Amino acid sequence: MNVNMNPNSELEQSIVSVPDIVQVPENFLSQAHQFQEIMMMYTCAIREVKTKLEVLNDELSVRNKRNPIEMIKSRVKKPMSILEKLQKRGLPVSLESMMENLDDVAGIRVICTYVDDIYDVAKMLTRQDDVRVVVVKDYIQNPKANGYRSYHMIVEIPVFFSDRKQAMRVEVQIRTIAMDFWASLDHQLKYKKTVVNADEIGEELRYCADVIAETDNRMLQIRKKIEEQGVVVHS
């Protein structure tokens, strides 16, 4: 398993930088230290969930001779992204509002090899007695209009600090390698305003999403046929 340890995904990204502070409203400025502490808590929540996933992957690699998880990526939202999301929803711009209303401040993306791995990993994670499932959105069975496919969960886990136990929410997105490749292109199209013929490209991407979904399913069926003959498919 390749676990992405990009420092931008960890605590370093959650520290408020000077350019970010300059653009944040005054009521956020007065709480800068508290904001940094809360971002640290979200980073620790990511670490807790990531460890659970790594343990499951290690166990299955021994038991089933195959790793269902290819890669784990993580991120904590940047201050401006949090600010923009609160304002877009018409919510109060405060730390309390952020923790109460935003479920995706801490995010983990799990990249699996096959579609059935997605559901197996999700089931094993949520079966743990200290993981509470808040919301599930299955965009694999019910793709978005643009073709986007992924399995989303908001989970809540306890994180133990020096003076207390704090329930923290983490968004977990689980998808195949092909779904992740598609989503990266779609993200570029969505957030780069200067793309020429964006509608035409979007339609091409939607078509590719269907092709990718069909390919994912056919690859899964091929793997199952091989396994029916007693051959272990390694990944």
Side-chain angles (χ1 to χ4, degrees):
M1 178 185 66
N2 179 14
V3 178
N4 187 340
M5 297 300 291
N6 186 334
N8 290 331
S9 300
E10 298 292 346
L11 184 57
E12 289 86 343
Q13 187 173 354
S14 69
I15 304 301
V16 182
S17 63
V18 172
D20 287 329
I21 290 179
V22 170
Q23 302 174 68
V24 176
E26 188 175 347
N27 62 331
F28 253 44
L29 283 175
S30 63
Q31 302 179 71
H33 180 74
Q34 188 181 356
F35 180 85
Q36 181 176 327
E37 182 177 344
I38 291 173
M39 290 299 99
M40 174 274 296
M41 292 166 64
Y42 277 116
T43 300
C44 291
I46 285 174
R47 191 175 295 126
E48 291 278 355
V49 176
K50 186 184 286 187
T51 298
K52 289 177 178 293
L53 291 164
E54 290 170 357
V55 168
L56 287 172
N57 203 46
D58 288 347
E59 178 197 352
L60 292 171
S61 70
V62 173
R63 188 203 300 170
N64 299 341
K65 307 295 189 225
R66 191 173 71 80
N67 294 85
I69 298 174
E70 291 286 342
M71 184 182 300
I72 301 173
K73 305 176 183 178
S74 65
R75 64 102 182 97
V76 176
K77 271 189 180 296
K78 293 182 178 180
M80 286 308 298
S81 295
I82 294 169
L83 173 63
E84 288 168 4
K85 193 156 192 176
L86 289 172
Q87 291 177 335
K88 186 177 180 180
R89 292 188 181 182
L91 297 167
V93 178
S94 68
L95 297 178
E96 293 77 12
S97 177
M98 175 188 73
M99 294 194 74
E100 288 175 11
N101 298 300
L102 301 187
D103 292 331
D104 62 344
V105 175
I108 288 181
R109 185 172 302 151
V110 184
I111 313 301
C112 294
T113 312
Y114 300 98
V115 174
D116 63 342
D117 291 331
I118 293 172
Y119 294 99
D120 288 345
V121 168
K123 189 183 299 181
M124 287 183 286
L125 177 64
T126 57
R127 207 160 45 205
Q128 300 187 19
D129 58 14
D130 60 344
V131 176
R132 185 174 79 87
V133 180
V134 180
V135 176
V136 171
K137 292 182 180 179
D138 189 345
Y139 295 117
I140 299 172
Q141 297 297 321
N142 303 286
K144 291 187 178 182
N146 66 345
Y148 175 84
R149 288 169 170 83
S150 186
Y151 189 88
H152 291 201
M153 295 188 298
I154 304 297
V155 299
E156 188 174 84
I157 61 162
V159 182
F160 293 84
F161 298 100
S162 61
D163 58 349
R164 69 193 186 283
K165 177 177 73 173
Q166 178 70 43
M168 302 293 297
R169 291 187 177 186
V170 178
E171 181 186 47
V172 181
Q173 298 179 359
I174 316 178
R175 58 180 67 153
T176 63
I177 300 167
M179 291 175 193
D180 191 56
F181 174 53
W182 183 93
S184 66
L185 271 179
D186 180 64
H187 185 271
Q188 289 183 48
L189 177 65
K190 189 178 298 182
Y191 290 97
K192 290 191 176 180
K193 308 299 183 183
T194 58
V195 175
V196 179
N197 300 326
D199 291 341
E200 180 183 337
I201 295 172
E203 187 60 28
E204 286 187 52
L205 270 175
R206 193 201 61 75
Y207 170 76
C208 287
D210 293 337
V211 173
I212 284 171
E214 182 181 355
T215 303
D216 268 338
N217 287 325
R218 292 181 73 175
M219 293 292 285
L220 174 59
Q221 296 309 314
I222 292 170
R223 191 204 80 202
K224 287 182 175 179
K225 287 179 181 178
I226 295 172
E227 289 177 342
E228 284 171 1
Q229 300 178 35
V231 179
V232 177
V233 179
H234 295 277
S235 63

PDB file of all heavy atoms in Angstrom, residues 4 10 13 23 42 58 62 68 92 106 113 118 126 130 137 159 163 172 181 186 189 194-195 201 204 206 212 217 226:
ATOM      1  N   ASN A   4       0.003   8.139   1.173  1.00  0.00           N
ATOM      2  CA  ASN A   4       0.500   9.464   0.816  1.00  0.00           C
ATOM      3  C   ASN A   4       0.825  10.247   2.078  1.00  0.00           C
ATOM      4  O   ASN A   4      -0.066  10.544   2.867  1.00  0.00           O
ATOM      5  CB  ASN A   4      -0.575  10.190  -0.004  1.00  0.00           C
ATOM      6  CG  ASN A   4      -0.065  11.508  -0.555  1.00  0.00           C
ATOM      7  OD1 ASN A   4       0.899  12.058  -0.058  1.00  0.00           O
ATOM      8  ND2 ASN A   4      -0.726  11.990  -1.583  1.00  0.00           N
ATOM      9  N   GLU A  10      -0.977  17.255   6.101  1.00  0.00           N
ATOM     10  CA  GLU A  10      -0.901  17.067   7.539  1.00  0.00           C
ATOM     11  C   GLU A  10      -0.941  18.404   8.284  1.00  0.00           C
ATOM     12  O   GLU A  10      -1.443  19.387   7.800  1.00  0.00           O
ATOM     13  CB  GLU A  10       0.355  16.261   7.878  1.00  0.00           C
ATOM     14  CG  GLU A  10       0.359  14.863   7.271  1.00  0.00           C
ATOM     15  CD  GLU A  10      -0.712  13.964   7.898  1.00  0.00           C
ATOM     16  OE1 GLU A  10      -1.266  14.313   8.963  1.00  0.00           O
ATOM     17  OE2 GLU A  10      -0.999  12.921   7.313  1.00  0.00           O
ATOM     18  N   GLN A  13      -0.243  21.993   6.938  1.00  0.00           N
ATOM     19  CA  GLN A  13      -1.230  22.691   6.123  1.00  0.00           C
ATOM     20  C   GLN A  13      -2.275  23.394   6.982  1.00  0.00           C
ATOM     21  O   GLN A  13      -2.912  24.339   6.557  1.00  0.00           O
ATOM     22  CB  GLN A  13      -1.927  21.690   5.188  1.00  0.00           C
ATOM     23  CG  GLN A  13      -2.846  22.355   4.186  1.00  0.00           C
ATOM     24  CD  GLN A  13      -3.376  21.372   3.180  1.00  0.00           C
ATOM     25  OE1 GLN A  13      -2.976  20.219   3.162  1.00  0.00           O
ATOM     26  NE2 GLN A  13      -4.277  21.820   2.345  1.00  0.00           N
ATOM     27  N   GLN A  23      -6.685  37.837   4.843  1.00  0.00           N
ATOM     28  CA  GLN A  23      -7.977  37.849   4.177  1.00  0.00           C
ATOM     29  C   GLN A  23      -9.125  37.402   5.084  1.00  0.00           C
ATOM     30  O   GLN A  23     -10.275  37.472   4.687  1.00  0.00           O
ATOM     31  CB  GLN A  23      -7.922  36.925   2.952  1.00  0.00           C
ATOM     32  CG  GLN A  23      -6.842  37.308   1.957  1.00  0.00           C
ATOM     33  CD  GLN A  23      -6.728  36.295   0.846  1.00  0.00           C
ATOM     34  OE1 GLN A  23      -7.614  36.153   0.031  1.00  0.00           O
ATOM     35  NE2 GLN A  23      -5.620  35.581   0.796  1.00  0.00           N
ATOM     36  N   TYR A  42      -8.526  18.456  14.170  1.00  0.00           N
ATOM     37  CA  TYR A  42      -8.996  17.814  12.939  1.00  0.00           C
ATOM     38  C   TYR A  42      -7.889  16.944  12.324  1.00  0.00           C
ATOM     39  O   TYR A  42      -8.147  15.861  11.804  1.00  0.00           O
ATOM     40  CB  TYR A  42      -9.448  18.864  11.932  1.00  0.00           C
ATOM     41  CG  TYR A  42     -10.866  19.355  12.147  1.00  0.00           C
ATOM     42  CD1 TYR A  42     -11.117  20.678  12.491  1.00  0.00           C
ATOM     43  CD2 TYR A  42     -11.954  18.497  11.997  1.00  0.00           C
ATOM     44  CE1 TYR A  42     -12.421  21.136  12.682  1.00  0.00           C
ATOM     45  CE2 TYR A  42     -13.252  18.943  12.190  1.00  0.00           C
ATOM     46  CZ  TYR A  42     -13.481  20.262  12.537  1.00  0.00           C
ATOM     47  OH  TYR A  42     -14.770  20.703  12.728  1.00  0.00           O
ATOM     48  N   ASP A  58      -3.566  -3.897   6.233  1.00  0.00           N
ATOM     49  CA  ASP A  58      -2.504  -4.842   6.598  1.00  0.00           C
ATOM     50  C   ASP A  58      -3.084  -6.217   6.932  1.00  0.00           C
ATOM     51  O   ASP A  58      -2.541  -7.257   6.526  1.00  0.00           O
ATOM     52  CB  ASP A  58      -1.710  -4.310   7.802  1.00  0.00           C
ATOM     53  CG  ASP A  58      -0.827  -3.130   7.444  1.00  0.00           C
ATOM     54  OD1 ASP A  58      -0.639  -2.878   6.244  1.00  0.00           O
ATOM     55  OD2 ASP A  58      -0.335  -2.460   8.363  1.00  0.00           O
ATOM     56  N   VAL A  62      -2.684 -10.038   4.625  1.00  0.00           N
ATOM     57  CA  VAL A  62      -2.243 -11.331   5.140  1.00  0.00           C
ATOM     58  C   VAL A  62      -3.339 -12.374   4.969  1.00  0.00           C
ATOM     59  O   VAL A  62      -3.105 -13.484   4.494  1.00  0.00           O
ATOM     60  CB  VAL A  62      -1.849 -11.216   6.637  1.00  0.00           C
ATOM     61  CG1 VAL A  62      -1.547 -12.591   7.218  1.00  0.00           C
ATOM     62  CG2 VAL A  62      -0.652 -10.297   6.795  1.00  0.00           C
ATOM     63  N   PRO A  68      -6.779  -4.299  -0.488  1.00  0.00           N
ATOM     64  CA  PRO A  68      -7.896  -3.606  -1.129  1.00  0.00           C
ATOM     65  C   PRO A  68      -7.638  -2.117  -1.324  1.00  0.00           C
ATOM     66  O   PRO A  68      -8.205  -1.491  -2.215  1.00  0.00           O
ATOM     67  CB  PRO A  68      -9.062  -3.836  -0.169  1.00  0.00           C
ATOM     68  CG  PRO A  68      -8.406  -4.037   1.170  1.00  0.00           C
ATOM     69  CD  PRO A  68      -7.114  -4.743   0.871  1.00  0.00           C
ATOM     70  N   PRO A  92     -23.183  31.737  10.168  1.00  0.00           N
ATOM     71  CA  PRO A  92     -22.293  32.626  10.915  1.00  0.00           C
ATOM     72  C   PRO A  92     -20.830  32.258  10.679  1.00  0.00           C
ATOM     73  O   PRO A  92     -20.493  31.073  10.600  1.00  0.00           O
ATOM     74  CB  PRO A  92     -22.681  32.387  12.378  1.00  0.00           C
ATOM     75  CG  PRO A  92     -24.055  31.811  12.325  1.00  0.00           C
ATOM     76  CD  PRO A  92     -24.132  31.033  11.045  1.00  0.00           C
ATOM     77  N   ALA A 106     -12.117  18.073   7.874  1.00  0.00           N
ATOM     78  CA  ALA A 106     -11.108  17.013   7.776  1.00  0.00           C
ATOM     79  C   ALA A 106     -11.571  16.009   6.735  1.00  0.00           C
ATOM     80  O   ALA A 106     -12.714  15.549   6.778  1.00  0.00           O
ATOM     81  CB  ALA A 106     -10.928  16.326   9.134  1.00  0.00           C
ATOM     82  N   THR A 113      -8.750  -0.712  -5.452  1.00  0.00           N
ATOM     83  CA  THR A 113      -8.510  -1.324  -6.752  1.00  0.00           C
ATOM     84  C   THR A 113      -9.809  -1.641  -7.470  1.00  0.00           C
ATOM     85  O   THR A 113      -9.979  -1.330  -8.652  1.00  0.00           O
ATOM     86  CB  THR A 113      -7.692  -2.622  -6.590  1.00  0.00           C
ATOM     87  OG1 THR A 113      -6.573  -2.368  -5.737  1.00  0.00           O
ATOM     88  CG2 THR A 113      -7.186  -3.109  -7.941  1.00  0.00           C
ATOM     89  N   ILE A 118     -14.486  -1.049  -2.310  1.00  0.00           N
ATOM     90  CA  ILE A 118     -15.028   0.189  -1.744  1.00  0.00           C
ATOM     91  C   ILE A 118     -16.036  -0.135  -0.650  1.00  0.00           C
ATOM     92  O   ILE A 118     -15.964   0.383   0.471  1.00  0.00           O
ATOM     93  CB  ILE A 118     -15.694   1.039  -2.848  1.00  0.00           C
ATOM     94  CG1 ILE A 118     -14.637   1.540  -3.836  1.00  0.00           C
ATOM     95  CG2 ILE A 118     -16.481   2.203  -2.242  1.00  0.00           C
ATOM     96  CD1 ILE A 118     -15.206   2.225  -5.061  1.00  0.00           C
ATOM     97  N   THR A 126     -16.947   1.092   9.384  1.00  0.00           N
ATOM     98  CA  THR A 126     -18.114   1.539  10.165  1.00  0.00           C
ATOM     99  C   THR A 126     -18.590   0.483  11.156  1.00  0.00           C
ATOM    100  O   THR A 126     -19.401   0.783  12.033  1.00  0.00           O
ATOM    101  CB  THR A 126     -19.273   1.927   9.226  1.00  0.00           C
ATOM    102  OG1 THR A 126     -19.610   0.814   8.385  1.00  0.00           O
ATOM    103  CG2 THR A 126     -18.865   3.088   8.342  1.00  0.00           C
ATOM    104  N   ASP A 130     -16.277   2.322  17.864  1.00  0.00           N
ATOM    105  CA  ASP A 130     -16.021   3.723  18.193  1.00  0.00           C
ATOM    106  C   ASP A 130     -16.193   4.640  16.977  1.00  0.00           C
ATOM    107  O   ASP A 130     -15.842   5.820  17.029  1.00  0.00           O
ATOM    108  CB  ASP A 130     -14.620   3.903  18.787  1.00  0.00           C
ATOM    109  CG  ASP A 130     -13.511   3.460  17.844  1.00  0.00           C
ATOM    110  OD1 ASP A 130     -13.808   2.737  16.866  1.00  0.00           O
ATOM    111  OD2 ASP A 130     -12.341   3.840  18.078  1.00  0.00           O
ATOM    112  N   LYS A 137     -23.439   8.967   1.401  1.00  0.00           N
ATOM    113  CA  LYS A 137     -23.908   9.353   0.063  1.00  0.00           C
ATOM    114  C   LYS A 137     -23.207   8.451  -0.945  1.00  0.00           C
ATOM    115  O   LYS A 137     -21.989   8.542  -1.127  1.00  0.00           O
ATOM    116  CB  LYS A 137     -23.604  10.825  -0.219  1.00  0.00           C
ATOM    117  CG  LYS A 137     -24.413  11.783   0.648  1.00  0.00           C
ATOM    118  CD  LYS A 137     -24.138  13.237   0.307  1.00  0.00           C
ATOM    119  CE  LYS A 137     -24.962  14.177   1.173  1.00  0.00           C
ATOM    120  NZ  LYS A 137     -24.681  15.613   0.867  1.00  0.00           N
ATOM    121  N   VAL A 159     -11.466  11.360  19.780  1.00  0.00           N
ATOM    122  CA  VAL A 159     -10.023  11.605  19.781  1.00  0.00           C
ATOM    123  C   VAL A 159      -9.632  12.001  21.208  1.00  0.00           C
ATOM    124  O   VAL A 159     -10.267  12.889  21.802  1.00  0.00           O
ATOM    125  CB  VAL A 159      -9.624  12.719  18.793  1.00  0.00           C
ATOM    126  CG1 VAL A 159      -8.109  12.904  18.780  1.00  0.00           C
ATOM    127  CG2 VAL A 159     -10.128  12.386  17.384  1.00  0.00           C
ATOM    128  N   ASP A 163      -6.461  16.534  28.081  1.00  0.00           N
ATOM    129  CA  ASP A 163      -7.418  16.910  29.113  1.00  0.00           C
ATOM    130  C   ASP A 163      -8.854  16.498  28.825  1.00  0.00           C
ATOM    131  O   ASP A 163      -9.744  16.752  29.631  1.00  0.00           O
ATOM    132  CB  ASP A 163      -7.373  18.431  29.340  1.00  0.00           C
ATOM    133  CG  ASP A 163      -7.657  19.217  28.062  1.00  0.00           C
ATOM    134  OD1 ASP A 163      -7.681  18.589  26.969  1.00  0.00           O
ATOM    135  OD2 ASP A 163      -7.847  20.445  28.139  1.00  0.00           O
ATOM    136  N   VAL A 172     -15.004  10.817   4.665  1.00  0.00           N
ATOM    137  CA  VAL A 172     -14.239   9.747   4.019  1.00  0.00           C
ATOM    138  C   VAL A 172     -14.823   9.520   2.630  1.00  0.00           C
ATOM    139  O   VAL A 172     -16.018   9.231   2.492  1.00  0.00           O
ATOM    140  CB  VAL A 172     -14.304   8.438   4.836  1.00  0.00           C
ATOM    141  CG1 VAL A 172     -13.476   7.354   4.158  1.00  0.00           C
ATOM    142  CG2 VAL A 172     -13.811   8.674   6.266  1.00  0.00           C
ATOM    143  N   PHE A 181      -8.962   9.244 -10.984  1.00  0.00           N
ATOM    144  CA  PHE A 181      -8.350   9.856 -12.164  1.00  0.00           C
ATOM    145  C   PHE A 181      -9.356  10.768 -12.855  1.00  0.00           C
ATOM    146  O   PHE A 181      -9.050  11.912 -13.223  1.00  0.00           O
ATOM    147  CB  PHE A 181      -7.876   8.740 -13.104  1.00  0.00           C
ATOM    148  CG  PHE A 181      -7.361   9.215 -14.434  1.00  0.00           C
ATOM    149  CD1 PHE A 181      -6.381  10.190 -14.521  1.00  0.00           C
ATOM    150  CD2 PHE A 181      -7.844   8.672 -15.625  1.00  0.00           C
ATOM    151  CE1 PHE A 181      -5.907  10.626 -15.753  1.00  0.00           C
ATOM    152  CE2 PHE A 181      -7.377   9.093 -16.856  1.00  0.00           C
ATOM    153  CZ  PHE A 181      -6.408  10.078 -16.915  1.00  0.00           C
ATOM    154  N   ASP A 186     -12.088  16.436 -13.695  1.00  0.00           N
ATOM    155  CA  ASP A 186     -13.320  17.195 -13.478  1.00  0.00           C
ATOM    156  C   ASP A 186     -13.072  18.383 -12.554  1.00  0.00           C
ATOM    157  O   ASP A 186     -13.619  19.469 -12.756  1.00  0.00           O
ATOM    158  CB  ASP A 186     -14.383  16.275 -12.880  1.00  0.00           C
ATOM    159  CG  ASP A 186     -15.703  17.000 -12.633  1.00  0.00           C
ATOM    160  OD1 ASP A 186     -16.326  17.440 -13.625  1.00  0.00           O
ATOM    161  OD2 ASP A 186     -16.099  17.123 -11.459  1.00  0.00           O
ATOM    162  N   LEU A 189     -11.465  21.161 -14.492  1.00  0.00           N
ATOM    163  CA  LEU A 189     -12.453  21.828 -15.342  1.00  0.00           C
ATOM    164  C   LEU A 189     -13.337  22.760 -14.529  1.00  0.00           C
ATOM    165  O   LEU A 189     -13.653  23.868 -14.953  1.00  0.00           O
ATOM    166  CB  LEU A 189     -13.322  20.777 -16.050  1.00  0.00           C
ATOM    167  CG  LEU A 189     -14.451  21.310 -16.934  1.00  0.00           C
ATOM    168  CD1 LEU A 189     -13.884  22.089 -18.122  1.00  0.00           C
ATOM    169  CD2 LEU A 189     -15.334  20.173 -17.430  1.00  0.00           C
ATOM    170  N   THR A 194     -10.794  29.665 -16.979  1.00  0.00           N
ATOM    171  CA  THR A 194     -10.361  30.075 -18.314  1.00  0.00           C
ATOM    172  C   THR A 194     -10.406  28.942 -19.337  1.00  0.00           C
ATOM    173  O   THR A 194      -9.910  29.097 -20.446  1.00  0.00           O
ATOM    174  CB  THR A 194      -8.923  30.637 -18.247  1.00  0.00           C
ATOM    175  OG1 THR A 194      -8.057  29.630 -17.705  1.00  0.00           O
ATOM    176  CG2 THR A 194      -8.866  31.880 -17.369  1.00  0.00           C
ATOM    177  N   VAL A 195     -10.979  27.801 -18.974  1.00  0.00           N
ATOM    178  CA  VAL A 195     -11.026  26.659 -19.896  1.00  0.00           C
ATOM    179  C   VAL A 195     -11.954  26.989 -21.073  1.00  0.00           C
ATOM    180  O   VAL A 195     -13.108  27.353 -20.883  1.00  0.00           O
ATOM    181  CB  VAL A 195     -11.520  25.387 -19.182  1.00  0.00           C
ATOM    182  CG1 VAL A 195     -11.685  24.240 -20.186  1.00  0.00           C
ATOM    183  CG2 VAL A 195     -10.541  24.990 -18.086  1.00  0.00           C
ATOM    184  N   ILE A 201     -16.137  19.954 -23.193  1.00  0.00           N
ATOM    185  CA  ILE A 201     -15.230  19.094 -22.429  1.00  0.00           C
ATOM    186  C   ILE A 201     -15.992  18.368 -21.321  1.00  0.00           C
ATOM    187  O   ILE A 201     -15.766  17.185 -21.059  1.00  0.00           O
ATOM    188  CB  ILE A 201     -14.072  19.919 -21.838  1.00  0.00           C
ATOM    189  CG1 ILE A 201     -13.198  20.479 -22.966  1.00  0.00           C
ATOM    190  CG2 ILE A 201     -13.223  19.066 -20.891  1.00  0.00           C
ATOM    191  CD1 ILE A 201     -12.144  21.454 -22.508  1.00  0.00           C
ATOM    192  N   GLU A 204     -17.721  15.429 -22.743  1.00  0.00           N
ATOM    193  CA  GLU A 204     -16.758  14.350 -22.981  1.00  0.00           C
ATOM    194  C   GLU A 204     -16.425  13.621 -21.677  1.00  0.00           C
ATOM    195  O   GLU A 204     -16.328  12.392 -21.645  1.00  0.00           O
ATOM    196  CB  GLU A 204     -15.475  14.904 -23.596  1.00  0.00           C
ATOM    197  CG  GLU A 204     -15.576  15.302 -25.066  1.00  0.00           C
ATOM    198  CD  GLU A 204     -14.218  15.682 -25.641  1.00  0.00           C
ATOM    199  OE1 GLU A 204     -13.272  14.892 -25.498  1.00  0.00           O
ATOM    200  OE2 GLU A 204     -14.123  16.779 -26.212  1.00  0.00           O
ATOM    201  N   ARG A 206     -18.341  13.411 -19.055  1.00  0.00           N
ATOM    202  CA  ARG A 206     -19.498  12.630 -18.631  1.00  0.00           C
ATOM    203  C   ARG A 206     -19.533  11.279 -19.356  1.00  0.00           C
ATOM    204  O   ARG A 206     -19.799  10.242 -18.759  1.00  0.00           O
ATOM    205  CB  ARG A 206     -20.792  13.397 -18.897  1.00  0.00           C
ATOM    206  CG  ARG A 206     -22.026  12.794 -18.210  1.00  0.00           C
ATOM    207  CD  ARG A 206     -23.299  13.226 -18.871  1.00  0.00           C
ATOM    208  NE  ARG A 206     -23.347  12.781 -20.264  1.00  0.00           N
ATOM    209  CZ  ARG A 206     -23.579  11.532 -20.650  1.00  0.00           C
ATOM    210  NH1 ARG A 206     -23.760  10.574 -19.755  1.00  0.00           N
ATOM    211  NH2 ARG A 206     -23.604  11.221 -21.932  1.00  0.00           N
ATOM    212  N   ILE A 212     -15.652   4.500 -17.827  1.00  0.00           N
ATOM    213  CA  ILE A 212     -14.853   4.093 -16.667  1.00  0.00           C
ATOM    214  C   ILE A 212     -15.657   3.179 -15.749  1.00  0.00           C
ATOM    215  O   ILE A 212     -15.155   2.160 -15.254  1.00  0.00           O
ATOM    216  CB  ILE A 212     -14.349   5.340 -15.904  1.00  0.00           C
ATOM    217  CG1 ILE A 212     -13.190   5.986 -16.658  1.00  0.00           C
ATOM    218  CG2 ILE A 212     -13.926   4.983 -14.479  1.00  0.00           C
ATOM    219  CD1 ILE A 212     -12.772   7.329 -16.110  1.00  0.00           C
ATOM    220  N   ASN A 217     -16.473  -2.265 -13.600  1.00  0.00           N
ATOM    221  CA  ASN A 217     -17.323  -3.434 -13.361  1.00  0.00           C
ATOM    222  C   ASN A 217     -16.821  -4.666 -14.111  1.00  0.00           C
ATOM    223  O   ASN A 217     -16.837  -5.776 -13.583  1.00  0.00           O
ATOM    224  CB  ASN A 217     -18.769  -3.120 -13.761  1.00  0.00           C
ATOM    225  CG  ASN A 217     -19.435  -2.183 -12.766  1.00  0.00           C
ATOM    226  OD1 ASN A 217     -19.175  -2.242 -11.572  1.00  0.00           O
ATOM    227  ND2 ASN A 217     -20.302  -1.307 -13.252  1.00  0.00           N
ATOM    228  N   ILE A 226     -11.283 -15.308 -12.338  1.00  0.00           N
ATOM    229  CA  ILE A 226      -9.953 -15.867 -12.057  1.00  0.00           C
ATOM    230  C   ILE A 226      -9.939 -16.505 -10.671  1.00  0.00           C
ATOM    231  O   ILE A 226      -9.418 -17.607 -10.475  1.00  0.00           O
ATOM    232  CB  ILE A 226      -8.871 -14.774 -12.170  1.00  0.00           C
ATOM    233  CG1 ILE A 226      -8.777 -14.262 -13.619  1.00  0.00           C
ATOM    234  CG2 ILE A 226      -7.523 -15.293 -11.698  1.00  0.00           C
ATOM    235  CD1 ILE A 226      -7.878 -13.052 -13.783  1.00  0.00           C
TER     236      ILE A 226
END
